[in-house]
């Protein structure tokens, strides 16, 4: 294995690496650095997150900088503000011993004026998100005519995020005689198009199997009812007191909701998603990085590419539709040689998603049971004992308190004292978990056995429902068949997953796929039934929704708890929240 100095880096970079504590190059660094230092060819690096690719391009990029030439010589494009700040921080560390090298980060959502001023001071290295970079180029504030190196980092994600046109514009504007280095976890047709149109005879390097996942990550799955997913997160957190984790959700609203619930339930948690302003996101990230936050709840976009050391667990509250997103999510753990666990909280209809992920990561999921109540309490007790054993007593600082403590507790013998102290530490868990039920469900059915997995994507539901109350009931001669026909008549929600329906005399309660509830709202606005305007309420809490379903129907032919897909499949689920009326 080569050393950094054998790779041919300049002394200022070697001394910085020593200060940071990078001793030996990672495989991608060992392969890419010599090529990028001397070669004239463009490069495509097929590299996963966590492999050390920032240094793989950052070090040669800096090695090529002319320190005393105060023009933009290197531009790194990346998909998100967080990644932009992370790369900037890495490049600043690598260039700490280089004289006069200035790095500037430019990204949306922050003052463009401040960024323009920073550029005007003469930066040689710019790291930016495509939209803001293009804006600055168009305003004439970021000039790319002296560019010698252009890096596209996480190119696949930039394309997924809709930056295609911006990338095309930047790539066609930047100086022709530059070198272009493209890094991506996956090689799609679009990436191949970029390579063909904007790169010269690129050399391809790959450090791991395409689209696969780090060997250091254990992939686990547990199966619960959709309604128990939040409880599942809590069981995982409670059974792993030392967890330093990220919970991934699919939407911003869901992310905020889960974070709010965790905070309410006493966990050291916060949310990271695109509805927070930049300052809020920075504060959350800072707290997470310095570990004053234990559980980050994030959307895929916000946490993309994040490099936080020692993340122990990645928890998938919802599995993503795209298996590659799973690879990126799970890559937040098991970084830089450490090991990590990725746990998918699945429900019984996630079989197909799990199989696509297994196919991509070339590993089977390990099916695990969530800990039962007594196991959680045992885990907490063991942790408590270990904490005591690892705590050094500080006789001196407590000495003035001994009279109070000693005399106050004199009448208790050691066993009694221990029991009381243990009770103080553990009672809340004992109380909470003494009647907790086992939330594990049987694992997903095998290939082909899961009927619901087979429909076209848009007609498959999420298995989670929003509950609606509509102003049509038995008196309006509505029945389940005619109601489903009505809903399927509405073009934008045709085929929506319908859960339980209960028809009452003057109203009906029904469940619809939670993730399409907005579209349902819009469609209902124009709903007329035989000339009568139909009013719809979304029930905003589970309790009232459940109550609505528990009331027996007046007419047994009209009621019933069974649920139906628009096309007639059976479901048995409970409703969820909402809270609007129109
Ligand atoms: P990256 O893939 O660039 O996000 O890097 C993943 C993690 O590995 C980061 O925390 C880096 O600081 C760390 N890292 C990268 N290269 C090395 C190295 N040669 N030695 C030790 N740590 C490294």
């Amino acid at each position: 294995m080569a050393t950094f100095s054998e790779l041919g880096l300049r002394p200022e970079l070697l001394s910085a690496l020593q200060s940071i504590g990078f001793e030996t190059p990672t495989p991608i660094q060992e392969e890419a650095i010599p090529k990028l230092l001397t070669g004239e060819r463009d490069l495509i690096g097929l590299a996963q997150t966590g492999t050390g690719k920032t240094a793989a391009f950052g070090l040669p990029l800096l090695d090529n900088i002319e320190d005393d030439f105060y023009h933009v010589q290197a531009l790194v494009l990346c998909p998100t503000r967080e990644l932009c700040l992370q790369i900037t921080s890495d490049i600043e560390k690598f260039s700490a011993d280089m004289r006069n090298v200035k790095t500037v980060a430019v990204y949306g959502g922050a003052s463009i004026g401040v960024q323009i001023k920073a550029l005007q001071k003469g930066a040689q290295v710019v790291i930016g998100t495509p939209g803001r970079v293009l804006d600055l180029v168009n305003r004439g504030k970021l000039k790319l005519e002296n560019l010698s190196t252009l890096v596209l980092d996480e190119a696949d994600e930039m394309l997924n995020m809709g930056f295609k046109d911006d990338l095309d514009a930047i790539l066609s504007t930047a100086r022709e005689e530059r070198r272009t280095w493209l890094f991506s976890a996956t090689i799609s047709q679009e990436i191949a198009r970029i390579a063909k149109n904007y790169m010269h005879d690129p050399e391809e390097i790959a450090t791991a199997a395409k689209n696969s996942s780090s060997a250091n990550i254990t992939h686990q799955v547990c199966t619960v009812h959709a309604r128990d997913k939040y409880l599942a997160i809590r069981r995982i957190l409670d059974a792993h007191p030392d967890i330093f984790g990220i919970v991934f959700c699919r939407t911003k609203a869901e992310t905020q909701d889960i974070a709010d619930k965790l905070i309410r339930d006493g966990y050291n948690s916060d949310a990271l998603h695109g509805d927070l302003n930049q300052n809020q996101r920075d504060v959350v990230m800072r707290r997470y990085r310095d570990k004053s936050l234990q559980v980050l709840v994030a959307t895929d976009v916000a946490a993309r590419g994040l490099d936080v050391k020692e993340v122990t667990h990645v928890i998938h509250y919802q599995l993503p539709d795209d298996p590659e997103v799973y690879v990126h999510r799970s890559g937040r753990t098991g970084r830089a040689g450490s090991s990590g666990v990725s746990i998918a909280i699945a429900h019984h209809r996630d079989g197909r998603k799990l199989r696509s992920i297994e196919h991509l990561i070339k590993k089977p999921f390990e099916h695990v049971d969530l800990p039962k109540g007594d196991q959680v309490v045992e885990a907490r007790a063991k942790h408590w004992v270990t904490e005591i054993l690892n705590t050094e007593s500080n006789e001196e600082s407590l000495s003035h308190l001994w009279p109070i403590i000693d005399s106050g507790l004199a009448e208790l013998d050691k066993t009694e004292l221990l029991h009381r102290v243990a009770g103080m530490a553990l009672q809340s868990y004992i109380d909470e978990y003494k009647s907790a039920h086992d939330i594990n469900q049987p694992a997903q059915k095998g290939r082909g056995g899961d009927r619901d997995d087979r429909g076209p994507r848009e007609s498959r539901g999420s298995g989670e429902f929003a509950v609606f109350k509509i102003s049509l009931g038995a008196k309006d001669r509505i029945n389940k068949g005619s109601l489903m026909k009505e809903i399927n008549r509405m073009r934008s929600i045709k085929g929506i997953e319908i859960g339980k329906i209960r028809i009452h005399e003057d109203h009906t309660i029904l469940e619809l796929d939670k993730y399409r509830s907005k579209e349902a709202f819009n469609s209902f606005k124009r709903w007329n039934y035989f000339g009568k305007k139909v009013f719809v309420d979304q029930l905003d809490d589970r309790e009232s929704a459940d109550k609505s379903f528990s009331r027996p129907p007046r007419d047994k032919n009209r009621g019933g708890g069974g649920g139906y897909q628009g096309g007639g499949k059976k479901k048995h689920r409970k409703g969820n929240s909402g809270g609007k009326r129109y």
Side-chain angles (χ1 to χ4, degrees):
M1 193 183 284
T3 60
F4 278 112
S5 66
E6 283 164 356
L7 298 184
L9 291 165
R10 47 202 257 197
E12 305 99 291
L13 290 172
L14 294 175
S15 63
L17 288 174
Q18 208 169 8
S19 320
I20 306 168
F22 284 14
E23 286 166 10
T24 44
T26 65
I28 190 168
Q29 291 161 4
E30 192 168 345
E31 188 167 3
I33 292 172
K35 287 190 165 75
L36 299 181
L37 281 180
T38 52
E40 284 305 310
R41 281 175 73 180
D42 287 347
L43 182 110
I44 296 180
L46 198 52
Q48 297 158 42
T49 57
T51 50
K53 71 180 152 68
T54 315
F57 67 74
L59 294 168
L61 172 155
L62 288 166
D63 202 284
N64 287 329
I65 295 287
E66 286 179 49
D67 305 28
D68 298 325
F69 183 53
Y70 297 100
H71 295 277
V72 177
Q73 300 169 48
L75 172 66
V76 180
L77 295 171
C78 60
T80 64
R81 185 160 65 198
E82 277 75 17
L83 197 53
C84 180
L85 290 171
Q86 192 171 289
I87 297 170
T88 307
S89 149
D90 284 351
I91 300 242
E92 278 171 352
K93 283 184 204 145
F94 302 150
S95 60
D97 295 341
M98 290 172 76
R99 268 190 321 119
N100 303 335
V101 170
K102 263 206 89 226
T103 302
V104 169
V106 297
Y107 45 83
S111 156
I112 198 163
V114 173
Q115 293 172 0
I116 290 172
K117 275 198 192 115
L119 289 171
Q120 282 165 343
K121 284 188 189 155
Q124 293 99 332
V125 184
V126 172
I127 295 118
T129 50
R132 179 55 61 98
V133 165
L134 189 60
D135 192 354
L136 289 162
V137 169
N138 289 339
R139 291 174 189 227
K141 303 296 178 192
L142 173 56
K143 299 194 171 68
L144 302 181
E145 60 255 23
N146 293 301
L147 201 68
S148 54
T149 312
L150 175 57
V151 181
L152 303 167
D153 191 24
E154 307 249 354
D156 50 347
E157 187 56 13
M158 287 197 279
L159 292 167
N160 288 342
M161 288 176 66
F163 285 131
K164 175 179 169 294
D165 292 345
D166 292 350
L167 287 180
D168 277 332
I170 297 165
L171 282 157
S172 47
T173 311
R175 177 174 169 247
E176 271 269 332
E177 300 75 42
R178 64 170 194 262
R179 294 184 308 158
T180 307
W181 306 339
L182 180 151
F183 289 84
S184 182
T186 55
I187 298 293
S188 61
Q189 273 185 356
E190 250 317 289
I191 302 256
R193 182 192 67 85
I194 288 189
K196 185 162 167 272
N197 291 351
Y198 302 109
M199 297 174 77
H200 301 293
D201 185 24
E203 188 168 356
E204 196 176 308
I205 61 168
T207 51
K210 290 187 186 189
N211 300 337
S212 72
S213 155
S214 158
N216 302 332
I217 303 170
T218 307
H219 298 273
Q220 300 181 338
V221 59
C222 58
T223 309
V224 296
H225 275 306
R227 64 168 179 264
D228 287 332
K229 283 184 164 223
Y230 176 68
L231 278 184
I233 298 184
R234 292 198 55 190
R235 296 258 166 122
I236 296 168
L237 300 183
D238 286 346
H240 296 93
D242 287 328
I243 201 166
F244 179 52
I246 306 184
V247 177
F248 277 102
C249 299
R250 282 209 300 213
T251 64
K252 296 177 217 172
E254 187 176 70
T255 303
Q256 190 62 54
D257 182 45
I258 297 296
D260 288 347
K261 284 183 179 153
L262 287 173
I263 295 165
R264 181 199 66 197
D265 290 331
Y267 296 89
N268 180 8
S269 173
D270 215 335
L272 184 75
H273 56 72
D275 277 352
L276 304 176
N277 66 35
Q278 194 211 331
N279 195 29
Q280 292 168 316
R281 285 165 71 161
D282 290 348
V283 169
V284 173
M285 271 319 295
R286 208 172 312 126
R287 289 176 57 217
Y288 191 59
R289 274 185 209 288
D290 69 21
K291 296 199 168 62
S292 47
L293 193 63
Q294 196 177 9
V295 184
L296 184 70
V297 188
T299 55
D300 293 309
V301 173
R304 170 86 194 193
L306 282 190
D307 175 36
V308 176
K309 291 203 168 57
E310 293 154 14
V311 172
T312 59
H313 290 71
V314 166
I315 301 172
H316 308 261
Y317 179 70
Q318 299 279 3
L319 278 170
D321 288 328
D322 180 353
E324 277 163 17
V325 171
Y326 175 90
V327 175
H328 288 295
R329 285 178 175 188
S330 54
R332 299 312 97 220
T333 184
R335 294 174 78 76
S338 62
S339 60
V341 179
S342 168
I343 309 181
I345 302 176
H347 60 82
H348 75 282
R349 298 191 318 134
D350 278 332
R352 194 166 78 161
K353 281 185 188 169
L354 290 167
R355 287 191 295 275
S356 326
I357 293 167
E358 285 177 334
H359 182 71
L360 188 68
I361 62 176
K362 298 182 180 63
K363 266 189 204 176
F365 275 97
E366 180 190 330
H367 283 269
V368 292
D369 273 344
L370 288 163
K372 300 183 185 65
D374 51 348
Q375 292 170 317
V376 173
V377 176
E378 262 174 41
R380 300 305 308 200
K382 280 185 190 152
H383 180 254
W384 179 71
V385 169
T386 314
E387 267 195 322
I388 294 178
L389 291 174
N390 292 341
T391 304
E392 285 182 24
S393 77
N394 193 340
E395 296 276 345
E396 222 168 274
S397 67
L398 287 174
S399 58
H400 63 293
L401 299 174
W402 281 134
I404 304 173
I405 298 169
D406 270 352
S407 64
L409 299 175
E411 65 191 58
L412 299 179
D413 65 21
K414 182 187 165 196
T415 313
E416 176 66 17
L417 181 65
L418 257 185
H419 288 179
R420 290 193 192 194
V421 179
M424 284 166 68
L426 301 170
Q427 196 60 46
S428 60
Y429 293 100
I430 296 169
D431 291 343
E432 174 160 1
Y433 282 106
K434 68 177 173 243
S435 51
H437 61 290
D438 180 2
I439 57 174
N440 290 295
Q441 289 294 307
Q444 291 69 26
K445 289 178 194 160
R447 188 181 291 275
D450 195 345
R451 267 165 45 86
D452 288 329
D453 270 354
R454 292 198 303 247
R457 182 173 283 258
E458 59 281 5
S459 72
R460 292 195 329 260
S462 64
E464 289 176 67
F465 293 100
V467 183
F468 295 86
K469 179 178 176 185
I470 64 173
S471 65
L472 288 179
K475 69 175 175 41
D476 302 297
R477 297 174 177 277
I478 192 105
N479 59 33
K480 277 199 267 186
S482 54
L483 183 59
M484 279 160 51
K485 231 190 233 162
E486 279 288 300
I487 290 171
N488 277 317
R489 222 170 31 80
M490 300 177 197
R491 212 173 325 141
S492 63
I493 53 168
K494 195 171 166 36
I496 189 172
E497 187 177 21
I498 303 174
K500 289 190 286 190
I501 299 175
R502 176 139 295 169
I503 298 176
H504 297 256
E505 189 56 23
D506 59 356
H507 69 276
T508 294
I509 304 291
L510 93 147
E511 292 181 333
L512 294 174
D513 183 359
K514 176 175 151 185
Y515 292 99
R516 297 182 68 189
S517 61
K518 240 195 195 146
E519 294 158 75
F521 259 128
N522 289 333
S523 305
F524 291 159
K525 278 179 195 159
R526 297 177 296 279
W527 193 359
N528 277 295
Y529 187 65
F530 289 106
K532 178 183 168 185
K533 166 102 182 103
V534 182
F535 293 96
V536 183
D537 272 327
Q538 190 171 341
L539 300 189
D540 43 19
D541 66 65
R542 245 317 258 294
E543 214 177 305
S544 59
D546 285 351
K547 256 193 226 148
S548 305
F549 281 113
S550 65
R551 221 177 304 150
R554 294 187 183 186
D555 176 346
K556 74 180 165 64
N557 295 321
R558 292 196 169 105
Y564 299 84
Q565 180 92 18
K569 288 180 185 172
K570 242 187 165 184
K571 301 275 151 15
H572 293 279
R573 293 283 158 65
K574 290 226 167 130
N576 223 314
S577 63
K580 298 178 236 172
R581 175 161 195 159
Y582 41 82

